[in-house]
Amino acid sequence: MCGICGDIRFDGAIADLAAVSAMTSHMVPRGPDAAGVWSQKQLAFGHRRLKIIDLSEKAQQPMFDAELGLGIVYNGAIYNYPELRRELETKGYRFFSRGDTEVLLKAYHAWGEDFVQRLNGMFAFALWERDSGRVLLGRDRLGIKPLYYAEVEGGLRLASSLPALLAAGGVDTRIDPVALHYYLSFHAVVPAPHTILRGVRKLAPGHTLRVEPQGLGEAKCFWEPRFERQPGDATRPFEEWRELVLDGVTRAVRRRLLADVPVGALLSGGLDSSLIVGLLAEQGQKGLKTYSVGFESVGEEKGDEFQYSDLIAAHYGTEHHRIFVDSARLLPALGQAVGAMSEPMISHDAVGFYLLSEEVSKDVKVVQSGQGADEVFAGYHWYPPLLDSRDPVADYCRVFCDRDHAEMAGLIHPDLLGDDHARAFVAEHFARPGASDGVDKALRLDTTIMLVDDPVKRVDNMTMAWGLEARVPFLDHELVELAARIPARYKVAEGGKYVLKEAARQVIPAAVIDRPKGYFPVPALKYIRGPYLEFVRDILQRPEARRRGLFQPAAVERLLAEPERHITPLRGSKLWQVALLEYWLQLRGI
């Protein structure tokens, strides 16, 4: 797990090593163990390393193979790299390191750009050819690892984080109106290739992008899940699906044990993280370290779920760590958590993951985490009504979107309004072939878009802020492909995630499975009161906020006057959503 960056020139100039050094320096938290740069003529690349696989200096990056004339900077973990290495060795390739980075170089040389089809794991990379000057960028199927890029005068820059690109300068930092509409509709999700800034784009999940010496090429999609039944799937009994799911999750958890350092687990006490811990125990993990976080309650809303995480920890005899965050620590940490965000993310639990990661990183470098199960196995409340929906676009938008276009018109500056971009995006996505019913259309959108730029990005940003690698077995692409084939009725039954719950009964206690659905609670950012309200008020009333003028003053005053009346359909604070964007921009000096 690392941070990568690069400067590619199209104008014949020498690549800017100062820009690469600035970006590399900005990503020290992503890779605190080592650093490196490489340059030749129009190309320069930088890397920050977190040592997880092959701890030796032979696996240092940027990695260059002089015999093949290929170099790479790479962020991620390829779980099937030992098998790929053995296959490449039968083709005559010789290896000087023991890690997965060198396998990517040889795999590209052996199989060309389609080598990404063979990878099981999470990755973002820039791979270059010395002699042609061509560069290939790539991002994993579920977007677990980020990759941002910016067209600058005379060239292109890339980095694992958006703020790293800003550190090098020369980026257009005006607000992207389409991205603003997405942000305020999809609770801060901005689908690729957009970001909130006009001058920065991100590579979409499951895509590669070729960069020629003379300019940027076209992105190519190498993976998209098909929510269609294969022959025999329609008549396959439920019991068989249940066993296939359990086998699939078990394999995914086992794959993510691949490391030369200990692997721990984040344990919220919910079904998903509890199942991971149970399967890790079944794999024979000894001395497994697990971690939970909790916050102060606000009114009737409880701030922790320790009773459930304690149950699982005791059941499996893990070395469990409860991390309690009182309000005196939470508010000061907000600025640090927002500073760690590549893009503004309004989910209340971002600061929770940030503080949890700080503590966990003192013990281990790698953890498994349960993100993605709700999107992959239909665990959210908006899926069951879509089973028989006659207008799935409208039904989805009504329960999912933070506000409609009419409310948007009363919130943002008229010059930034434009069309109803969010609803048009949902309609276009639902109309694509490969998913027939409303549930599958929503699952495809959530798995490939909403999941990527909300929980997945949140976990990456907050864990990597402390040099902690998070692995997400529910986003194993083979498991996602299996789940996409399962008839929707087996996923949405009994409130959702039915097939996963029934599979889990064979592993973990029923008390965790049959409990009411919980969330990672940070009540203080949902019910904004007292010092939190004053903090938000200050942000929105600063001169830079007034000068920027993103939001209509009367709308901001309404939110400040009664913040608890303005809650999104998914129970988030509309006031925090507005304030966070402004705060993120202020922290970036924009």
Side-chain angles (χ1 to χ4, degrees):
M1 192 71 71
C2 309
I4 68 173
C5 61
D7 182 62
I8 304 169
R9 305 304 304 176
F10 302 144
D11 56 5
I14 299 298
D16 190 344
L17 265 179
V20 170
S21 295
M23 292 187 286
T24 305
S25 297
H26 198 279
M27 295 187 293
V28 170
R30 292 191 70 92
D33 295 335
V37 295
W38 181 96
S39 68
Q40 179 177 301
K41 297 182 180 178
Q42 79 277 17
L43 302 178
F45 297 94
H47 188 266
R48 290 294 322 191
R49 185 181 179 199
L50 179 65
K51 294 182 178 180
I52 302 296
I53 298 174
D54 188 352
L55 310 184
S56 75
E57 293 307 301
K58 293 181 179 179
Q60 181 73 340
Q61 296 186 50
M63 181 178 285
F64 191 79
D65 187 318
E67 184 178 344
L68 301 182
L70 298 175
I72 190 171
V73 285
Y74 148 68
N75 166 29
I78 306 302
Y79 306 120
N80 65 331
Y81 88 88
E83 297 94 316
L84 294 174
R85 176 177 174 136
R86 287 192 290 270
E87 185 175 355
L88 289 163
E89 285 174 333
T90 64
K91 291 178 173 290
Y93 287 95
R94 297 170 296 172
F95 289 82
F96 53 80
S97 68
R98 296 185 297 103
D100 50 352
T101 306
E102 188 182 0
V103 171
L104 297 181
L105 281 178
K106 264 69 171 183
Y108 174 77
H109 187 266
W111 299 307
E113 292 184 12
D114 287 339
F115 83 101
V116 290
Q117 301 278 7
R118 297 171 177 260
L119 307 180
N120 185 301
M122 52 184 182
F123 55 85
F125 64 79
L127 195 158
W128 65 92
E129 300 174 357
R130 175 192 58 202
D131 299 335
S132 70
R134 181 180 297 121
V135 179
L136 183 70
L137 309 181
R139 190 178 182 197
D140 65 71
R141 296 167 179 85
L142 277 304
I144 303 166
K145 293 294 100 193
L147 188 57
Y148 295 89
Y149 60 93
E151 294 187 70
V152 296
E153 186 176 354
L156 181 81
R157 290 189 183 136
L158 61 104
S160 293
S161 78
L162 189 155
L165 287 174
L166 297 180
V171 175
D172 181 354
T173 58
R174 292 175 295 168
I175 297 296
D176 182 330
V178 175
L180 179 62
H181 199 285
Y182 292 150
Y183 172 90
L184 293 167
S185 300
F186 300 148
H187 31 283
V189 168
V190 176
H194 292 273
T195 75
I196 200 68
L197 303 181
R198 292 190 190 191
V200 181
R201 291 294 177 255
K202 57 196 174 197
L203 186 60
H207 280 68
T208 55
L209 176 62
R210 181 183 286 189
V211 185
E212 301 289 352
Q214 64 273 17
L216 196 61
E218 292 293 321
K220 175 184 176 183
C221 178
F222 67 85
W223 184 83
E224 187 174 25
R226 305 286 295 183
F227 284 76
E228 298 173 327
R229 314 288 90 81
Q230 294 181 4
D233 284 350
T235 57
R236 190 185 303 276
F238 173 78
E239 293 75 17
E240 192 171 334
W241 285 118
R242 182 189 63 201
E243 296 308 310
L244 287 170
V245 166
L246 183 57
D247 288 346
V249 179
T250 302
R251 281 196 303 273
V253 168
R254 185 187 305 123
R255 281 172 178 149
R256 283 153 183 80
L257 285 172
L258 183 71
D260 292 328
V261 295
V263 178
L266 303 183
L267 177 59
S268 69
L271 164 68
D272 312 327
S273 62
S274 299
L275 178 56
I276 289 172
V277 170
L279 291 172
L280 285 170
E282 284 195 350
Q283 298 297 319
Q285 279 281 89
K286 302 298 183 183
L288 176 62
K289 295 184 177 183
T290 55
Y291 308 86
S292 301
V293 67
F295 302 87
E296 291 182 24
S297 300
V298 174
E300 298 298 314
E301 182 146 346
K302 194 173 181 182
D304 71 72
E305 296 188 307
F306 287 148
Q307 68 184 96
Y308 298 108
S309 56
D310 286 353
L311 188 158
I312 290 295
H315 186 80
Y316 291 106
T318 72
E319 184 183 318
H320 190 56
H321 302 258
R322 273 187 176 195
I323 300 165
F324 180 78
V325 181
D326 61 32
S327 57
R329 187 181 175 200
L330 179 61
L331 187 56
L334 268 179
Q336 300 166 26
V338 175
M341 295 177 182
S342 272
E343 300 174 74
M345 294 176 281
I346 65 166
S347 293
H348 306 147
D349 61 3
V351 67
F353 271 110
Y354 179 84
L355 291 168
L356 176 63
S357 299
E358 179 184 10
E359 296 302 319
V360 174
S361 67
K362 297 173 183 178
D363 265 1
V364 295
K365 282 188 172 184
V366 185
V367 289
Q368 295 205 29
S369 185
Q371 276 66 40
D374 284 307
E375 290 85 355
V376 172
F377 288 101
Y380 292 127
H381 69 272
W382 57 84
Y383 297 123
L386 290 171
L387 194 58
D388 300 311
S389 173
R390 295 184 178 182
D391 189 351
V393 172
D395 291 342
Y396 179 89
C397 289
R398 183 173 57 257
V399 298
F400 185 87
C401 294
D402 295 331
R403 49 181 62 78
D404 60 22
H405 193 60
E407 184 178 345
M408 191 85 68
L411 175 63
I412 65 176
H413 192 285
D415 291 347
L416 295 170
L417 182 60
D419 298 327
D420 191 349
H421 301 294
R423 189 181 179 98
F425 182 87
V426 174
E428 186 277 329
H429 207 281
F430 275 32
R432 295 178 187 176
S436 55
D437 63 56
V439 173
D440 282 341
K441 291 176 187 291
L443 287 170
R444 180 178 60 180
L445 176 59
D446 289 353
T447 300
T448 60
I449 303 292
M450 304 304 179
L451 169 69
V452 172
D453 275 290
D454 189 3
V456 167
K457 180 170 64 183
R458 188 187 332 146
V459 171
D460 172 83
N461 285 190
M462 297 302 106
T463 55
M464 291 308 293
W466 296 102
L468 177 67
E469 176 177 309
R471 297 178 172 182
V472 280
F474 287 108
L475 297 187
D476 184 285
H477 78 270
E478 293 179 3
L479 181 62
V480 171
E481 291 170 346
L482 169 65
R485 290 166 43 205
I486 300 173
R489 66 184 184 276
Y490 292 147
K491 288 180 276 193
V492 302
E494 297 189 16
K497 257 188 331 197
Y498 179 65
V499 67
L500 182 63
K501 291 176 181 176
E502 294 307 300
R505 289 188 194 281
Q506 301 173 68
V507 181
I508 61 176
V512 173
I513 299 170
D514 297 325
R515 53 166 287 199
K517 183 174 176 60
Y519 295 92
F520 203 166
V522 188
L525 292 181
K526 177 177 174 181
Y527 304 105
I528 299 178
R529 304 171 181 172
Y532 294 89
L533 182 57
E534 293 312 307
F535 175 74
V536 165
R537 187 186 306 275
D538 175 67
I539 291 168
L540 293 171
Q541 293 181 346
R542 289 175 185 172
E544 52 265 53
R546 297 182 184 278
R547 184 169 58 250
R548 197 182 338 269
L550 293 179
F551 306 108
Q552 298 184 32
V556 171
E557 288 304 317
R558 284 194 297 271
L559 292 173
L560 287 168
E562 297 181 290
E564 293 180 34
R565 284 194 58 192
H566 301 280
I567 303 295
T568 72
L570 296 185
R571 310 310 298 160
S573 168
K574 293 183 180 182
L575 174 60
W576 177 240
Q577 185 182 45
V578 167
L580 174 67
L581 174 56
E582 186 58 53
Y583 189 37
W584 185 88
L585 292 168
Q586 291 173 16
L587 287 178
R588 304 294 170 213
I590 296 172

